[in-house]
Amino acid sequence: MSDTVVTVSMFERIGGTVVIDRLVESFYRRMDALPEASGIRAMHADDLTSTKQVLKRYLSEWTGGPKLYSPEKGHPRLRQRHMGFPIGSAERDAWLLCMRGALEETVADAAARQEIDVALSRLADWMRNQAGNPHDERGGHG
């Protein structure tokens, strides 16, 4: 069966539910601890329990794992759901700082880490809803 192609999801590549859980816990630990993240931490509730569960469900589905987010929340509509929060380049950068550290800590596969980083960087950039410097043009998306 040499012509059989087995597709492995990113969810499986990184280690499944256990790694998604660790990733989210590490991400929010960093958000609590890093001074650079104090602005985005202030946008969250004091108790992160439900926020962590939502992100775990979202990332599980986003990486090709079990569909745990959309049955409960519907289409992610991430930009719309975050419109109430001012997200500029500084907030994007703080979020990515926390996520990159968490990825480094929890995802052993360097190639998978890089692929996730590229995708999340695009997503974080798209989430911006505040004007920034002249290089922050979003070309009609906002």
Side-chain angles (χ1 to χ4, degrees):
M1 292 217 206
S2 60
D3 58 351
T4 301
V5 176
V6 177
T7 304
V8 177
S9 69
M10 182 60 73
F11 181 81
E12 293 170 297
R13 278 178 66 190
I14 64 172
T17 302
V18 170
V19 173
I20 293 288
D21 286 351
R22 287 182 188 152
L23 176 67
V24 171
E25 294 298 330
S26 175
F27 171 75
Y28 283 112
R29 247 193 333 275
R30 289 164 192 282
M31 192 184 289
D32 274 337
L34 297 175
E36 302 92 328
S38 63
I40 60 171
R41 179 59 180 95
M43 295 178 188
H44 293 76
D46 288 344
D47 182 352
L48 292 169
T49 305
S50 64
T51 303
K52 288 177 183 179
Q53 288 308 312
V54 169
L55 185 56
K56 287 174 183 180
R57 289 181 187 124
Y58 174 78
L59 289 175
S60 170
E61 191 166 323
W62 185 78
T63 57
K67 297 205 178 311
L68 303 173
Y69 180 89
S70 56
E72 179 183 319
K73 299 278 189 183
H75 187 279
R77 299 187 327 263
L78 293 181
R79 196 152 193 270
Q80 181 182 340
R81 290 181 195 267
H82 288 80
M83 257 321 158
F85 302 99
I87 302 172
S89 296
E91 292 77 15
R92 173 205 57 203
D93 293 349
W95 192 91
L96 284 170
L97 177 68
C98 295
M99 186 54 76
R100 286 175 175 148
L103 284 166
E104 189 68 35
E105 180 184 321
T106 60
V107 177
D109 181 331
R113 237 188 354 259
Q114 178 62 30
E115 288 176 46
I116 293 169
D117 182 77
V118 168
L120 287 176
S121 295
R122 272 193 233 116
L123 181 61
D125 200 47
W126 180 74
M127 295 294 287
R128 290 181 300 155
N129 56 31
Q130 301 293 303
N133 66 50
H135 300 289
D136 284 347
E137 285 298 318
R138 290 194 306 272
H141 292 293

